[in-house]
Amino acid sequence: MSTQPAHPALLIPGPIEFDDAVLQSMGHFSESHVGPGFISVFGDTLSQLRKLFQTTDPASQPFVISGSGTLGWDLVSANLVEAGDDVLVLQSGYFSDGFADCLTTYGAIVTQVKAAPGSRPQLDEVEKALSAKNYKLLTVTHVDTSTGVLSELKKLSELVHKVSPDTLIVVDGVCSVACEEIAFDDWKLDGVVTASQKAIGCPAGLSISMFSGRAIERSQTRKTPPSSYFASMKNWTPIMKNYEAKKASYFATPSPQLVRALHTALTQILDKPLAERFARHREASDRIKKAVAELGLQQVAANPDDQAHGMTAMYLPESVKPTDILPILGKKGVVFAGGIHKEIASRYIRFGHMGVSVLDPSRNDIDKALTALKEALAECGHSKA
Ligand SMILES: *Cc1c(COP(=O)(O)O)cnc(C)c1O
């Protein structure tokens, strides 16, 4: 049982509910960021990330930097592309637009392959786009948190390696790492950026990423200096290497408390086979999606093959607005999120089901949420017999 004070179950697509031990790690006494205790924990945390991303290639480089998930976009934009470079963004919703904006901010020339809300670019469209220009980089949102659309990374990567082998493949995995399978080496990915507060289950405040040797080399052989100071891989790479080698190093002060919480979260994650973790998220997701369908609700992600396993975005009945139902759910002790895809935002809500809410049955979060959803719909005048 959780020893946290009673509170509504936070079932939005990040931040998620946190395990007690993870939260308790945040209460660690103050320590030097270059002292032996913290160096050891930070070094181990970076090594743990190699396991989470399933990479054994020594050239792969993990980064943990204070910031939110968005900082990962800056890291990519400031180091892996130069002003004037062409970048292909596969657009599957709100967060792909954000990544495109970030790349543009740093001078990249962005071309988007756009999908209708609830869908994702198809491989033949991507192939056509890749054949038209020489793209330095391609970005894909693994799970678009605005729609619950899941992208298929393995086949996409095979395609990119076949038709445009010099194009780096970068994944926005903010809403997928630790709940969807990501085989960094096997799928030949060049970058995956994520954040602490989603499926990893650690409080917000850490940008977490993995880059391939090829990506690191790209950052080192660019003609112009990195176009950010704080987000410079040139500044951070030696720091990460030193911590992992258990050596003191300083560029900008990390948060010892957050890194300790991340270490606890990763220790819990890696305590069991990753395949089991992904399977349990899939099972919970199947159960939730079935229940949602039985309530008469359509999912935003229309194609079952493209549905994420850590969240469900569902259209409401026409007569029910998110602003009607979300407060009712809140009163029943369940926090869901409203829509954020700009074309459909007022028509749907989002249910995040990641981490302890799925893995710790003693919390009963999922059943509680499904019951609350059913009752709330009925209170809004929509009941399905
Ligand atoms: C949440 C999210 C982000 C942004 O992360 P922040 O921590 O809010 O900066 C980016 N991409 C995806 C897919 C997300 O789900």
Side-chain angles (χ1 to χ4, degrees):
M1 275 300 281
S2 169
T3 56
Q4 296 165 35
H7 63 280
L10 187 59
L11 298 171
I12 63 176
I16 65 167
E17 283 288 327
F18 302 131
D19 183 75
D20 291 2
V22 172
L23 287 180
Q24 281 152 10
S25 302
M26 295 285 292
H28 195 275
F29 58 79
S30 195
E31 63 187 328
S32 166
H33 56 295
V34 289
F38 178 66
I39 290 174
S40 176
V41 168
F42 199 175
D44 289 346
T45 304
L46 291 163
S47 304
Q48 286 175 320
L49 287 175
R50 296 181 187 275
K51 294 193 180 128
L52 177 64
F53 287 84
Q54 304 187 50
T55 174
T56 54
D57 184 343
S60 301
Q61 182 59 52
F63 293 83
V64 174
I65 305 175
S66 289
S68 77
T70 303
L71 180 59
W73 297 344
D74 286 81
L75 210 53
V76 171
S77 306
N79 296 282
L80 304 186
V81 292
E82 297 185 63
D85 282 355
D86 280 302
V87 176
L88 188 65
V89 171
L90 308 190
Q91 201 268 11
S92 53
Y94 177 94
F95 286 100
S96 324
D97 284 339
F99 207 158
D101 269 353
C102 182
L103 286 155
T104 306
T105 302
Y106 287 86
I109 314 290
V110 171
T111 303
Q112 300 200 42
V113 184
K114 291 198 182 202
S119 133
R120 62 173 165 91
Q122 300 300 304
L123 289 182
D124 57 338
E125 299 168 284
V126 179
E127 177 160 11
K128 201 166 138 213
L130 283 173
S131 317
K133 249 188 221 169
N134 186 9
Y135 290 102
K136 286 276 163 52
L137 183 105
L138 169 148
T139 73
V140 55
T141 313
H142 194 190
V143 168
D144 203 294
T145 322
S146 68
T147 55
V149 168
L150 174 71
S151 290
E152 218 286 298
L153 299 184
K154 185 165 181 269
K155 289 203 186 108
L156 173 70
S157 176
E158 281 165 9
L159 172 74
V160 178
H161 280 278
K162 189 176 75 173
V163 301
S164 186
D166 292 333
T167 303
L168 297 181
I169 304 165
V170 171
V171 178
D172 178 343
V174 179
C175 197
S176 69
V177 170
C179 70
E180 305 280 358
E181 162 122 53
I182 297 182
F184 192 84
D185 288 358
D186 285 356
W187 298 352
K188 297 194 171 73
L189 305 175
D190 292 296
V192 176
V193 299
T194 189
S196 45
Q197 78 275 17
K198 300 201 185 172
I200 290 176
C202 168
L206 295 175
S207 154
I208 297 163
S209 49
M210 185 68 68
F211 290 97
S212 67
R214 199 163 80 127
I216 298 295
E217 196 184 309
R218 178 79 61 90
S219 77
Q220 288 166 344
T221 53
R222 51 186 291 134
K223 295 185 199 76
T224 52
S227 42
S228 162
Y229 183 69
F230 185 73
S232 160
M233 281 186 182
K234 197 170 159 204
N235 289 336
W236 281 115
T237 305
I239 306 299
M240 296 299 141
K241 285 190 190 299
N242 281 336
Y243 271 109
E244 210 174 349
K246 309 279 173 93
K247 286 192 280 203
S249 200
Y250 172 74
F251 164 57
T253 309
S255 163
Q257 282 71 19
L258 269 175
V259 170
R260 281 189 178 268
L262 176 61
H263 180 258
T264 302
L266 292 173
T267 302
Q268 291 180 347
I269 290 171
L270 295 170
D271 200 32
K272 296 213 176 89
L274 282 174
E276 185 184 316
R277 182 178 179 89
F278 302 139
R280 290 189 61 191
H281 278 85
R282 260 198 312 277
E283 284 158 23
S285 175
D286 288 351
R287 188 158 76 81
I288 290 161
K289 287 170 171 65
K290 187 163 167 273
V292 163
E294 280 165 10
L295 290 169
L297 305 183
Q298 298 280 336
Q299 279 189 61
V300 175
N303 178 352
D305 291 339
D306 300 348
Q307 290 167 350
H309 302 100
M311 64 169 291
T312 302
M314 60 196 104
Y315 285 112
L316 293 169
E318 229 164 272
S319 58
V320 182
K321 296 272 154 292
T323 44
D324 300 331
I325 198 166
L326 292 173
I328 299 177
L329 287 165
K331 284 202 194 103
K332 296 178 186 295
V334 171
V335 183
F336 282 2
I340 50 167
H341 191 299
K342 56 183 186 292
E343 290 171 44
I344 52 172
S346 63
R347 295 169 46 205
Y348 75 104
I349 55 173
R350 297 173 300 146
F351 175 0
H353 33 86
M354 296 174 244
V356 287
S357 289
V358 166
L359 302 168
D360 178 355
S362 75
R363 287 182 173 252
N364 198 33
D365 289 345
I366 302 303
D367 286 328
K368 182 169 146 185
L370 290 174
T371 306
L373 179 61
K374 186 176 180 182
E375 290 173 1
L377 281 169
E379 284 174 40
C380 289
H382 175 87
S383 57
K384 183 142 163 111

